[in-house]
Amino acid sequence: MDNKEKIHNKLMDIVKEENVKVDEMLRDHLYTKLGGKADFFITPTTYEEIQNVVKFSKEEDVPFTLLGNGSNLIIKDGGIRGIVINLKHLDKISSEGNTVVAQSGARIIDASYYALEQHLSGLEFACGIPGTVGGALYMNAGAYGGEIKDVLDYAYVVDKEGNLVKRLASELDLDYRTSNIPDNGDIVVEATFNLKPGNYEDIKAVMDDLTYKRESKQPLEYPSCGSVFKRPPGYFAGKLIQDSKLQGTSIGGAEVSTKHAGFIVNKDNATTSDYIALIEHVQKTVKEKFGVDLEREVRIIGEDAE
């Protein structure tokens, strides 16, 4: 029995057989429609399964990567070695009093609309963010003046030893598009948001307005990784890119959106290599024209194609 078969058999002891796939194309699971193969792609259904996968990974020295829906992530064409964990089956959302509890595989958009149905205010800003709850905590996602750190009470995570641990929001170092979750090696499995009672119609009006702004300004007709660059101090990334006359610039199937300069869209079966080359071209051009360094908001992981 080779090592790959051994790992596969062990994973099927931990997670249901139908939730373990070998050599799975990651682009089929990602918002961006980019990325090569995962050696093992697993979709746990319980926190205990996640804990056991982490412990197995540590014991057998098999690397693992946590993957949401990839709305702010680019995976290279060579894919990811080892185990890729996707939490799409952990998507329950509930409420108690003024709190909304969402599992990490739920979409943060769905948590926002669930809060609306409970007449709870505070998550309106998230009504257009396409990522998962876990991904939203990972990068302290935000939009239209709100961000996760404004409403997060606490989270449950599986730490790198495989323990289920409660982390207060104050322990996560939530800042502009960052947290200490990746540095700690934590896997977010559940988040509790502390919201405020509100009027349904008032909350809905805010969400309708934000949805209109998003749909009218963002290139939602094509797959993309969302906003590519962080906002540089004193500037707006999109304005710098627009003023650099880069809108419509393409490399392969990737294009700087003509609708919103801060987005790069997968217009025609782009590869990750196309995306990365275009990101670097934008950074180089903006630096030459304005002396401003654009820092990526989108994460790039995985291996180059051979």
Side-chain angles (χ1 to χ4, degrees), residues 137-246:
L137 267 66
Y138 187 98
M139 63 171 294
N140 184 33
Y144 300 110
E147 52 189 344
I148 290 296
K149 75 173 184 178
D150 299 334
V151 291
L152 182 68
D153 190 1
Y154 59 89
Y156 279 101
V157 307
V158 173
D159 69 14
K160 59 187 177 183
E161 304 298 325
N163 303 306
L164 186 65
V165 181
K166 181 178 180 179
R167 301 255 197 251
L168 299 176
S170 58
E171 298 177 286
L172 297 178
D173 294 340
L174 298 169
D175 205 346
Y176 178 65
R177 302 300 177 265
T178 62
S179 73
N180 63 23
I181 293 169
D183 291 339
N184 289 340
D186 289 341
I187 295 176
V188 175
V189 295
E190 181 181 296
T192 295
F193 300 104
N194 195 11
L195 307 177
K196 296 178 181 178
N199 177 273
Y200 178 93
E201 295 300 332
D202 291 342
I203 298 169
K204 186 173 186 301
V206 171
M207 293 171 70
D208 286 347
D209 180 56
L210 295 182
T211 298
Y212 171 76
K213 288 178 179 177
R214 176 173 176 262
E215 290 179 349
S216 62
K217 294 179 181 178
Q218 296 183 13
L220 304 180
E221 62 273 27
Y222 296 109
S224 80
C225 56
S227 183
V228 178
F229 302 103
K230 294 182 180 180
R231 185 177 63 244
Y235 298 91
F236 290 98
K239 183 73 163 57
L240 290 169
I241 296 166
Q242 184 178 333
D243 291 347
S244 298
K245 304 290 191 288
L246 286 167

Side-chain angles (χ1 to χ4, degrees), residues 4 8 15-16 27 56 88 102 118 120 129 133 140 189 209 219 221 224 232 240 256 261 269 281-282:
K4 194 165 185 177
H8 187 205
V15 182
K16 292 178 182 176
R27 67 171 61 98
F56 167 70
K88 65 181 182 179
Q118 306 307 310
L120 293 172
I129 297 174
V133 168
N140 184 33
V189 295
D209 180 56
E221 62 273 27
S224 80
L240 290 169
V256 178
N269 296 311
H281 175 68
V282 169

Side-chain angles (χ1 to χ4, degrees), residues 88-145:
K88 65 181 182 179
H89 294 313
L90 294 169
D91 61 354
K92 293 183 177 62
I93 305 172
S94 60
S95 63
E96 184 174 344
N98 295 335
T99 64
V100 165
V101 180
Q103 291 185 310
S104 61
R107 298 191 312 159
I108 191 68
I109 288 175
D110 293 338
S112 174
Y113 278 94
Y114 181 90
L116 167 66
E117 295 301 324
Q118 306 307 310
H119 297 207
L120 293 172
S121 175
L123 273 174
E124 291 92 330
F125 73 90
C127 69
I129 297 174
T132 61
V133 168
L137 267 66
Y138 187 98
M139 63 171 294
N140 184 33
Y144 300 110

